[in-house]
Amino acid sequence: MSVTDSLLAFSFAALLLTLTPGLDTALILRTATVEGRKKAFQAATGINTGCFIWGALVALGLGALLAASEIAYNLLKWCGAAWLCWLGIGLIFKPRRKLVTSDTTNPIATNWFVKGMLGNVLNPKIGVFYVSFLPQFIPAGHSPVLWTFLLVSIHIVIGTLWSSVLITGTRFASEILRKPLFKQWMDRVTGTLFIVFAAKLALSHR
């Protein structure tokens, strides 16, 4: 596979994966609807940072540890599931009515960059996915480290563009989306999805 073929094939595959609705999509839509564009972009940046951290770990060989070690995989898996459950329960039982939260005493609770980043960093399936998926698109004779960073960067760019589309799209229905009852409903639906994803992650295998 040539360099051009590798880049085109990976870009297409990454686009399909990005467009597939999942935890990241739910998080961005919910944050854009309830918290506003600024915090939604914070969440999107956190998600992309989590992907880049995993890319760096895979490039340095640490990602292969998760693919080989059942203990390491399960430890990170349960941490990720617990984190998603904590977020989900908070959204279900404490849905927001106001666009801007008044809770400034807990910076982690109001920092969507941190939430987006930890959502990815604590998901070992991303590391295993990169370990098993990225090597297929690295041309023979090229540096695996450099190409891993390149492919992850492409994935992040595509994710950023898609996040921008999702966030911008909420502007056209802002009057409806920002009504207190709708925001409470959105929080509870997203919280439920987080718990579903947490259960899915907890029951997953490598």
Side-chain angles (χ1 to χ4, degrees):
M1 184 180 291
S2 67
V3 170
T4 301
D5 291 340
S6 296
L7 293 176
L8 290 176
F10 176 79
S11 297
F12 181 70
L15 176 62
L16 292 180
L17 291 169
T18 301
L19 295 179
T20 301
L23 175 62
D24 294 349
T25 301
L27 179 63
I28 290 171
L29 283 176
R30 180 267 166 203
T31 310
T33 301
V34 180
E35 306 284 350
R37 296 180 64 199
K38 182 178 180 180
K39 290 193 176 182
F41 277 112
Q42 287 180 1
T45 303
I47 290 169
N48 291 332
T49 301
C51 288
F52 189 81
I53 290 173
W54 270 119
L57 292 176
V58 170
L60 297 173
L62 297 181
L65 174 64
L66 294 176
S69 172
E70 189 75 25
I71 295 177
Y73 180 89
N74 286 333
L75 178 62
L76 195 55
K77 178 181 73 173
W78 285 109
C79 288
W83 170 254
L84 290 177
C85 272
W86 182 80
L87 288 180
I89 291 172
L91 290 173
I92 291 173
F93 291 101
K94 293 184 179 180
R96 311 284 176 88
R97 291 184 59 87
K98 296 181 180 180
L99 178 63
V100 180
T101 178
S102 59
D103 181 11
T104 58
T105 61
N106 188 348
I108 294 180
T110 59
N111 192 325
W112 284 94
F113 171 84
V114 174
K115 291 183 178 181
M117 181 181 66
L118 289 181
N120 270 359
V121 170
L122 293 177
N123 186 353
K125 296 185 71 175
I126 296 178
V128 174
F129 166 75
Y130 276 170
V131 168
S132 59
F133 188 70
L134 297 185
Q136 303 176 47
F137 300 93
I138 299 177
H142 289 261
S143 170
V145 174
L146 293 179
W147 266 83
T148 295
F149 279 112
L150 174 60
L151 296 178
V152 170
S153 298
I154 292 174
H155 186 204
I156 290 174
V157 169
I158 293 174
T160 300
L161 293 175
W162 178 235
S163 298
S164 300
V165 171
L166 293 175
I167 295 169
T168 302
T170 62
R171 295 181 60 188
F172 298 102
S174 59
E175 291 300 321
I176 296 176
L177 295 177
R178 295 189 180 188
K179 288 183 177 180
L181 289 178
F182 185 89
K183 288 185 288 187
Q184 287 184 320
W185 175 85
M186 191 73 176
D187 269 10
R188 290 184 173 122
V189 169
T190 305
T192 301
L193 286 176
F194 280 10
I195 292 176
V196 170
F197 282 117
K200 184 178 179 181
L201 177 60
L203 297 174
S204 68
H205 301 283
R206 287 180 296 169

